[in-house]
Amino acid sequence: MWPQAYAQAQTVASKTTDNKVTVKKSKKKATTNAGSTSTTATSTGAAAVSQAQADASGNPAPRSENIVVTGSLLHDPNLQSASPITHITAGDMQKRGIKTVTDALQLLASNGSGNLTNAFSANGAFAGGASAPSLRGLSTDSTLVLMDGQRLSYYPLSDDGERNFVDTNWMPSSIMQTIDVMNDGGSATYGADAVAGVINFITRKEIQGFEGNAEGGVSQRGDAGHQRLYATYGHGDLERDGYNFYINSEYQQDDALYNRQVGYPYSSSNLTGIGGTNGDTNALGSDGSIQNFGATTTPVVRPSDGGNSGTGPWQLLNPSAGCARGKQVSGYVTGTPAGSTSTTCTVDSVHDYSQIAPSLRRIEATAHFTANVTSHSQLTAMFTYSQALSQYSGDPLSYDTVRNYTQSKLANTLSVPIPAYLPNGQLNPNDPYASQGKAAEMEYAFAGMVPRTSQYSQNFRGSVRYNGTAHSNWGSDWKYDANFVGMNTDLEQTITGVPTINGIEDAIINGTYNFMDPSANSKSVLNSIAPKNVMHAQTQEYSGEVSLSKGLFRLPGGMVDLAIGANVRYESLNDPSANESNPSDPGAQYAGYINPFYAYGSRWVESGFFEVGIPIVKMLNVDVSGRYDHYSEGYSHFSPKVGVNFKPVKQFTLRGTFSRGFRVPSFAETGGANVGYVNYTIQDPAWHNQHLNANGTADSYAQSYSMGLNTSGNPDLKPEISTNFTGGAVIRPLPWLSLTADYYYIQKSNYIAPNPVSYDTVAEDYVTGKALPAGVTVTPDVVDTLHPNAPVRPGIINMGYVNTNKLTTDGVDLHIDASRRLPGFLHNIRWYSRGEATYVRSFNLTLPNGQVEHFAGTEGPWEITSGSGTPRWRANWQNTFSWRNLSVTPTVYYTSGYKTVAEDATGPGTRGSCANSVVPSANSFSPQGQCHVKNYWDVDLTVNYNINRRWSVYANVYNLLGFRSPYDFGTYGSYLYNSSWSQKGVIYRSFQFGVNVKL
C-alpha cells in the first residue's frame, strides 16, 4: 500500500483555517499539486508522506485532519510557493522521540547562534525560564512564532535584557498537527519581525473520541527524571454533525540536574585532570600557597585596619567547628605579610552548587470548538490556559564585609568591618579581636542562604476565526477570513536566599547574625537578612485581522488570484526592575546578585497587505506580495516580496524569492536598561603603583573586582532593514525520492546591538584619563580607603544600544525525503527517510567604522549569545523502518566543530590566531591551549509497537551510543560544554517509555 498511497494522494481545496492554503487528502486519481511549501516537491508528496509516516509509526493520523500550508494568503491549490519550508508533522515528532515543540525547534538544522535553551536558564540567562529558537542565527527577535497563523504575546523577560521573543515552553504539544518553518523572510505576509523566518504551529482541527498518553524517563545514572501525561477528548464529526469540540490537558515535569550528578570534569572546579588548574576556592598550591582565595560558608577573619583591608594572616573564626564544606588548608595568601600562614577551607563550588538544567513543570488546558455555520462558512474558537514553572539555584552569595560588590558600593553602602563592640557596648562575639579593641575583616559566604529562583509564567490565550466562501458572478468565488486573538502572559519571579545591603549591614553592626555558628541562626534572622523578593511582569497581545481573496481572470497557466487584508494589533510589555534603586533607602537593594534590568513599552500597529498569484504559464508561476506596517512610535515601512517557480518538467523545479523587511527596536532597546557584571582587574601599571600596600604588593582595591556594564535604551534607534534572497531547486528523480537545495542570503542594515566598544578599552581609558568613546560614560567606584587620594576605578560602564552598519549571513539548506518498500526479500519493510542540513558560509557584522567581524565557524558572536558560537554545519537524518505493527527509527544529529575565537570579544581580524581565543575570558582554570571545539554526533533511537488498534507502546533512547559533549572552554552558557548543541552529551544516555491509547 505504501507506493500506491504515495502515488495516488491528491490535494483538493478546502475551507481556509487561517491565512494559508488548506487541503484535504482524497482517494481520487492524482491531479495537479496544491502548491505546498514543504521541503518535498509537492503538497501531494507532503500529504502522502505525512500519512505514510503516521501509518509506519503505528500512530495513525486522526480522520479528517488537514494539511495546512504556511506562507500564502491565496487559496488556489494550483499555485506552488517558492519559499522553502520545513514541514514537521506529529508523526515525525513521535518517530524521533520529540515530545515538545521546544525540542522540535531546537533540533532544527536552521536553528543557529543565539538560540535560548532551557539549560541556559540554570546558567544565568536574563530570560530564565523560557526557550526560543534563532533561525539563521539572527537571534530570537528575528524569528516570528505564530499559532494557527495568529500572533502570540512576548515572554515578559527580554533575551539578554534586549530582545522581545515568544517563549515556546508553554505550548500544548499534544494537539499540534504540524509545525511549519518558513526559512525565508515573511515580513510581507506576517509582519515586521519575520526577518529570519516564520514558525507556525498548526493545531488539530478535529478530534473524536479519547486519546491519552503516559510516559516516564530517566538517565542511565537514575537522575534527570521525566514524567509526561496528556488526555484529549473530542466529540462531533464536522462532515456528519457539522461541529467538533475537544478538550485537552497536559502535564510534564523534567527534574533538575546538577553538575555533581554527571561525570568529571563537568562535575568539578578542579580541572587538573584535563590539563587545567585547580579552580576550587582556597585550593592549596604545590608551593604551599593558597590559590583562588575567597569566601566560603566557613567564616575566616583577620584584624581590620579600619579601612578596606586588614593586617596579618587569615584564620578560622571558630577553629573548633572546623570547615562546613571541603577541607581545612593552611598556606600563604597573597596580600598578607610575607611568610605568614593563613588557615581557611576549600570548596568545590561547581560540585556543591552548580546546575546543568532547571526543574521545569508544564501544565496546560485547551478547549477547541469548530462548527460549520453554513455549507460555505466555518467558525473556530479556541482557549488555552498554560503555566510553566522553572526553578534553579546558585552559589551562596559571598560578601567581604569590607570589599562589597561594586553595585553595593554605588548604593552608598558602608564598607563595614566586624565591630569590636555591639551597639549596647558589649564585646562582639563575632569578632575574635574584640578584647584587643580591634575590628575584624571577614571573608564569608552566607550559609543557609542558597539563592533560588522560581519563574512562574501563566499564559491566557483566546482566539476566534470565521471564514468561508461567497459566490461571485465573475472569476472565482470570494474567500474571506476574519479572526481575533488575545493573549496575556503573566510572570512571577520569586528569588530567595539573596541578602539585601541593609540586611548585611544590620547583621554586621548589630550582631543579629551568628557568624560563630551559622547553623544556629533562626529562620526569622535569615529572612531579615535575605527577605523573599517577588517580582511581577506582564505582556499583552491583541490582534484583529481580516482578509479577502479571489480569482480574477485566467492566464495560460491558470487563475490569477488576489488577496488583500488588514491587521490592527496592540502589544505591551511591563517588566519592572528586579532590584530598583530607592534613593531614600539605597541599602534596601539586593546586593551583588539580582541585576537591575527593566523594560517598558506599548504600541499600536496598523497594517495593510496584499498578495497576487500569477500562473503565467503551466511551468512558470510568480507570486507578488507586500505589506505596509505603521507603528505608533513613528516607524513605518513597506515590505515587498516576490517569489518565482519554474517547473519545466515534473521532476525538476527552480524556485526563488526576494523580499525586503524590517524589525523595529524592541521595548528594551528603546526604553529599558540592563546591568551585567564582569570580573575585571585594572591593567595600567601607573594606576597600580598608586594602590600598593606598604610591602609593595597590590592592595585589595587593585585586585580583581566586579565591574558593572550598563546597556540602556536608546529612543533614537532606527529600525533594522533586511534584504532576503533564496534560490534553489527541487529535484524528484524518482516517484519516491525528493531532493532540495536552497541558497539563502540575509542582510540587516542598521543592525541594533550594544555599543561594540570593548569594555576593557573603556576601563583603561578611564583610569589613564583618555577621552572616552562617544556615547559612553563611566560611573566611578568608591574611593580606595587606604589610598583616598589615588584615582578610583570604574564602577559601571554605561553603554547604550546603537545602530551598527550591517549584519550579513548566507549559506545553503539541503533536504532529502524518501519513502518506499525495501526491495527483494525485505519487501515487507517500509522505509521512510528524511534529512536536513544547513551550511553557514558567512556570518559577518560590519561596524560603524567599516571594520568587519567574522563569526562563521567560531565561538562568536560571543558577547550577546551566551557564547553558543556559529557552527558551519548542522544536520539531522531520520530513518524509519516499519514492519507490521513495529517501527524502528534511528535519528542522527550532527553539529560541526568551531574555533574558540570571537571577533566581537577580541576585535576584527583576530579569528586567525589561537592567541586570540576567548578561553581565558570564559574559564581561567580550563586548559588554555584550546583553539577548536570538536564536532558533536548524537544518535537517538525510537521503537514504536502497536499492540492493537487502540493501544501502542514506545521506547526512546537518547544519545544511544553514549557520545560525550566535546569540551568547550570558551562558552559561558554552560560549564565546559555548549548547551546549545551538545546538551545530550553531558547527560549521556537517557531513556523514556510510554503508552498511547485511542478510544
Side-chain angles (χ1 to χ4, degrees):
M1 292 297 295
W2 180 274
Q4 289 84 354
Y6 193 96
Q8 293 179 357
Q10 178 197 8
T11 55
V12 293
S14 178
K15 295 184 177 69
T16 307
T17 58
D18 50 36
N19 293 335
K20 302 167 291 296
V21 177
T22 305
V23 293
K24 285 189 176 180
K25 299 181 286 291
S26 171
K27 295 181 181 178
K28 296 180 181 180
K29 184 177 179 180
T31 59
T32 306
N33 71 71
S36 167
T37 53
S38 73
T39 57
T40 53
T42 66
S43 61
T44 303
V49 169
S50 176
Q51 182 62 55
Q53 286 175 293
D55 293 341
S57 70
N59 293 280
R63 294 184 298 117
S64 301
E65 300 235 344
N66 299 323
I67 300 297
V68 182
V69 179
T70 297
S72 176
L73 301 169
L74 301 176
H75 309 143
D76 188 340
N78 295 311
L79 291 177
Q80 182 173 338
S81 172
S83 295
I85 287 189
T86 301
H87 185 72
I88 306 171
T89 68
D92 284 325
M93 294 176 64
Q94 171 70 16
K95 283 192 288 297
R96 289 170 56 178
I98 299 173
K99 306 305 169 62
T100 68
V101 298
T102 292
D103 291 339
L105 299 183
Q106 294 296 337
L107 293 172
L108 286 170
S110 55
N111 180 41
S113 174
N115 63 89
L116 181 61
T117 68
N118 286 317
F120 190 29
S121 289
N123 286 276
F126 276 91
S131 181
S134 172
L135 294 180
R136 305 301 185 205
L138 295 180
S139 298
T140 54
D141 59 1
S142 293
T143 299
L144 177 60
V145 178
L146 308 170
M147 184 179 290
D148 293 327
Q150 297 174 311
R151 285 181 169 265
L152 305 166
S153 58
Y154 298 130
Y155 189 65
L157 301 182
S158 301
D159 182 19
D160 269 337
E162 174 185 3
R163 293 177 285 275
N164 297 145
F165 70 98
V166 172
D167 175 32
T168 59
N169 278 334
W170 67 270
M171 295 185 178
S173 300
S174 61
I175 60 171
M176 292 300 172
Q177 177 181 313
T178 56
I179 304 172
D180 282 355
V181 183
M182 188 168 75
N183 290 303
D184 74 343
S187 297
T189 303
Y190 294 108
D193 41 357
V195 171
V198 178
I199 296 173
N200 189 16
F201 296 101
I202 301 167
T203 60
R204 293 168 65 177
K205 189 75 168 178
E206 181 178 9
I207 298 176
Q208 297 178 32
F210 175 81
E211 299 177 7
N213 168 271
E215 74 179 22
V218 71
S219 78
Q220 68 182 54
R221 297 177 307 275
D223 51 31
H226 163 87
Q227 305 88 40
R228 183 171 185 251
L229 299 168
Y230 72 76
T232 307
Y233 177 77
H235 179 73
D237 186 302
L238 277 173
E239 294 183 2
R240 183 185 66 243
D241 304 320
Y243 74 93
N244 178 262
F245 173 77
Y246 68 79
I247 55 175
N248 165 266
S249 183
E250 290 184 24
Y251 168 85
Q252 180 170 327
Q253 170 67 50
D254 292 297
D255 295 344
L257 183 66
Y258 295 86
N259 287 70
R260 60 179 173 269
Q261 295 174 282
V262 302
Y264 183 82
Y266 313 108
S267 59
S268 178
S269 303
N270 187 342
L271 301 181
T272 55
I274 58 172
T277 58
N278 189 346
D280 289 353
T281 302
N282 302 324
L284 187 63
S286 58
D287 60 353
S289 64
I290 295 178
Q291 309 294 319
N292 316 320
F293 178 75
T296 74
T297 53
T298 299
V300 295
V301 293
R302 65 177 179 176
S304 172
D305 63 359
N308 64 357
S309 188
T311 60
W314 297 92
Q315 66 176 34
L316 299 181
L317 175 62
N318 187 357
S320 62
C323 293
R325 288 181 180 269
K327 62 182 180 179
Q328 186 171 308
V329 294
S330 297
Y332 172 71
V333 174
T334 301
T336 60
S340 65
T341 300
S342 296
T343 301
T344 184
C345 300
T346 65
V347 167
D348 185 341
S349 60
V350 170
H351 179 275
D352 291 348
Y353 302 110
S354 295
Q355 194 166 342
I356 286 175
S359 168
L360 181 61
R361 187 195 72 195
R362 296 176 50 251
I363 299 176
E364 172 273 331
T366 295
H368 189 283
F369 176 75
T370 306
N372 296 330
V373 180
T374 69
S375 60
H376 298 288
S377 65
Q378 192 173 82
L379 175 70
T380 302
M382 179 178 176
F383 177 79
T384 296
Y385 168 76
S386 181
Q387 59 177 244
L389 174 64
S390 177
Q391 296 176 309
Y392 48 93
S393 59
D395 296 4
L397 296 185
S398 303
Y399 291 95
D400 178 333
T401 58
V402 174
R403 291 181 291 108
N404 290 322
Y405 277 102
T406 299
Q407 57 269 45
S408 303
K409 292 184 175 182
L410 293 175
N412 299 318
T413 298
L414 299 176
S415 296
V416 189
I418 304 293
Y421 299 96
L422 297 178
N424 61 9
Q426 294 179 348
L427 292 177
N428 190 340
N430 292 316
D431 178 13
Y433 314 109
S435 61
Q436 305 170 36
K438 294 183 178 180
E441 181 186 5
M442 180 182 291
E443 285 279 359
Y444 176 62
F446 283 92
M449 297 186 191
V450 175
R452 302 185 189 280
T453 301
S454 169
Q455 271 135 353
Y456 176 62
S457 65
Q458 297 186 86
N459 301 273
F460 307 83
R461 179 183 181 271
S463 68
V464 62
R465 164 170 272 119
Y466 184 68
N467 56 62
T469 61
H471 179 67
S472 174
N473 293 323
W474 59 276
S476 67
D477 291 340
W478 287 97
K479 297 180 177 63
Y480 57 87
D481 182 287
N483 66 84
F484 174 82
V485 61
M487 183 174 175
N488 283 5
T489 297
D490 296 309
L491 178 68
E492 180 182 276
Q493 297 183 82
T494 303
I495 300 179
T496 59
V498 180
T500 64
I501 299 170
N502 284 344
I504 298 170
E505 188 171 318
D506 289 343
I508 295 170
I509 295 176
N510 298 321
T512 55
Y513 186 89
N514 188 340
F515 290 94
M516 290 289 292
D517 183 8
S519 64
N521 288 294
S522 66
K523 188 68 173 177
S524 61
V525 169
L526 298 180
N527 289 340
S528 69
I529 297 173
K532 179 189 293 185
N533 188 337
V534 180
M535 299 150 289
H536 295 273
Q538 183 186 61
T539 57
Q540 297 177 308
E541 181 77 37
Y542 299 99
S543 176
E545 184 169 295
V546 294
S547 64
L548 294 170
S549 65
K550 178 179 176 55
L552 302 179
F553 56 88
R554 290 191 175 275
L555 290 178
M559 182 71 72
V560 174
D561 283 337
L562 170 68
I564 59 173
N567 175 275
V568 177
R569 74 178 192 269
Y570 171 82
E571 52 192 30
S572 68
L573 167 66
N574 180 18
D575 177 22
S577 172
N579 190 20
E580 291 191 271
S581 175
N582 181 356
S584 64
D585 187 13
Q589 294 189 73
Y590 289 77
Y593 183 81
I594 303 177
N595 285 328
F597 66 93
Y598 64 86
Y600 301 93
S602 64
R603 60 191 170 212
W604 286 92
V605 186
E606 296 94 23
S607 307
F609 47 88
F610 74 90
E611 183 176 359
V612 182
I614 310 171
I616 299 174
V617 293
K618 290 293 183 183
M619 66 177 63
L620 180 62
N621 293 333
V622 177
D623 186 274
V624 179
S625 59
R627 183 184 187 100
Y628 180 81
D629 292 300
H630 173 71
Y631 285 71
S632 57
E633 297 106 319
Y635 308 116
S636 298
H637 194 267
F638 175 71
S639 304
K641 182 174 182 177
V642 178
V644 178
N645 265 291
F646 177 63
K647 188 175 183 179
V649 294
K650 65 179 182 179
Q651 294 86 1
F652 182 73
T653 302
L654 289 175
R655 62 186 182 186
T657 65
F658 174 84
S659 64
R660 299 294 301 274
F662 81 124
R663 185 188 74 82
V664 300
S666 71
F667 293 128
E669 289 167 336
T670 58
N674 70 79
V675 180
Y677 292 88
V678 295
N679 290 325
Y680 189 71
T681 304
I682 300 298
Q683 301 298 311
D684 182 63
W687 184 90
H688 267 268
N689 289 337
Q690 300 179 68
H691 296 273
L692 298 179
N693 293 315
N695 61 4
T697 61
D699 74 6
S700 58
Y701 195 81
Q703 308 281 343
S704 176
Y705 74 108
S706 185
M707 181 173 67
L709 305 178
N710 177 39
T711 308
S712 56
N714 179 359
D716 297 324
L717 288 173
K718 300 176 183 178
E720 297 175 347
I721 306 298
S722 67
T723 301
N724 295 55
F725 169 77
T726 66
V730 180
I731 306 170
R732 192 177 175 189
L734 298 168
W736 53 268
L737 177 64
S738 174
L739 306 169
T740 68
D742 291 282
Y743 168 79
Y744 69 87
Y745 171 89
I746 303 174
Q747 176 179 291
K748 279 187 175 185
S749 301
N750 298 330
Y751 180 68
I752 299 171
N755 195 318
V757 64
S758 175
Y759 65 80
D760 52 354
T761 300
V762 175
E764 298 303 320
D765 286 349
Y766 176 77
V767 299
T768 56
K770 295 181 181 178
L772 300 180
V776 177
T777 62
V778 171
T779 303
D781 207 341
V782 296
V783 300
D784 181 351
T785 55
L786 284 182
H787 304 93
N789 296 320
V792 298
R793 62 194 179 189
I796 293 181
I797 296 176
N798 305 291
M799 300 184 291
Y801 296 102
V802 297
N803 288 109
T804 62
N805 194 324
K806 62 183 178 181
L807 178 71
T808 305
T809 182
D810 73 326
V812 175
D813 290 328
L814 303 172
H815 293 265
I816 180 172
D817 283 274
S819 57
R820 64 167 299 170
R821 289 186 182 272
L822 295 182
F825 70 94
L826 299 176
H827 180 71
N828 290 328
I829 297 177
R830 293 176 295 191
W831 169 56
Y832 170 72
S833 181
R834 182 172 191 175
E836 62 167 354
T838 293
Y839 172 72
V840 181
R841 193 190 75 87
S842 69
F843 195 95
N844 301 333
L845 174 64
T846 303
L847 302 176
N849 61 8
Q851 292 184 300
V852 179
E853 296 174 347
H854 302 81
F855 300 130
T858 76
E859 194 91 59
W862 193 77
E863 298 283 3
I864 60 172
T865 62
S866 73
S868 58
T870 307
R872 288 195 181 271
W873 281 101
R874 292 201 74 206
N876 60 76
W877 186 25
Q878 164 193 345
N879 286 275
T880 297
F881 301 92
S882 179
W883 177 72
R884 295 185 179 178
N885 293 332
L886 176 69
S887 69
V888 178
T889 303
T891 305
V892 179
Y893 298 93
Y894 171 77
T895 301
S896 64
Y898 45 91
K899 295 180 67 175
T900 55
V901 295
E903 293 192 352
D904 61 325
T906 56
T910 57
R911 62 175 175 158
S913 172
C914 292
N916 297 303
S917 172
V918 294
V919 168
S921 301
N923 191 332
S924 58
F925 306 115
S926 299
Q928 299 301 295
Q930 187 187 50
C931 188
H932 190 270
V933 176
K934 296 180 180 178
N935 55 39
Y936 178 66
W937 291 87
D938 170 43
V939 179
D940 295 347
L941 179 68
T942 298
V943 179
N944 288 280
Y945 181 74
N946 266 10
I947 300 174
N948 53 43
R949 294 182 61 184
R950 294 184 175 181
W951 294 88
S952 62
V953 294
Y954 60 88
N956 309 122
V957 184
Y958 302 102
N959 195 4
L960 174 69
L961 302 182
F963 291 119
R964 301 188 67 181
S965 299
Y967 298 145
D968 184 344
F969 303 139
T971 186
Y972 55 91
S974 43
Y975 182 63
L976 306 183
Y977 76 99
N978 198 320
S979 61
S980 287
W981 321 123
S982 60
Q983 180 72 7
K984 294 177 184 176
V986 74
I987 299 174
Y988 308 146
R989 294 181 187 86
S990 58
F991 309 88
Q992 291 180 8
F993 305 91
V995 57
N996 288 321
V997 59
K998 296 178 184 292
L999 303 176

